[in-house]
Amino acid sequence: MNKQSYDEARSLAKQANGPLGPSIRDFFAILIKRGYVGRTVYAKIYRAADFDRWLDAEHIGLSAVDEQCVARYHARDSGCRLAFNCKNAPVPGGDGT
């Protein structure tokens, strides 16, 4: 299972073609070097790749990523596992729209 998780994470990292793509591939290598287990590597790469796909679909470049952008990403994610309810998270500087 562990090797499968690494392989799946590597595949996700290679497929990342949005603005974070190169950084995700570097992140994968760092996680491996630091000895993270396969399931953890997969989970982290999965979330990064999902954010990358969202940025690409929303036509948001890296220079435009800020707290409000991240809050918008989390707000659309009903499976968010943060310490607060992402759907109700205030958007810094947002007007509620």
Side-chain angles (χ1 to χ4, degrees), residues 29-52:
I30 290 167
L31 294 173
I32 298 300
K33 284 182 183 179
R34 291 189 179 171
Y36 282 84
V37 298
R39 287 185 350 188
T40 301
V41 172
Y42 178 79
K44 290 179 179 295
I45 296 299
Y46 178 87
R47 293 300 286 179
D50 187 59
F51 186 49
D52 183 57

Side-chain angles (χ1 to χ4, degrees), residues 4 10 14 19 21-22 24 26-28 33 41 50 55 57-59 61-62 64-65 69 75 85-86 90:
Q4 181 181 359
R10 181 180 294 110
K14 286 181 180 179
I24 291 172
D26 292 343
F27 185 45
F28 174 79
K33 284 182 183 179
V41 172
D50 187 59
L55 289 172
E58 295 291 318
H59 307 288
L62 288 180
V65 175
C69 175
N85 183 342
C86 297

Side-chain angles (χ1 to χ4, degrees), residues 70-83:
V70 174
R72 282 182 43 219
Y73 166 74
H74 283 300
R76 63 87 169 125
D77 182 8
S78 63
C80 185
R81 291 186 176 103
L82 298 178

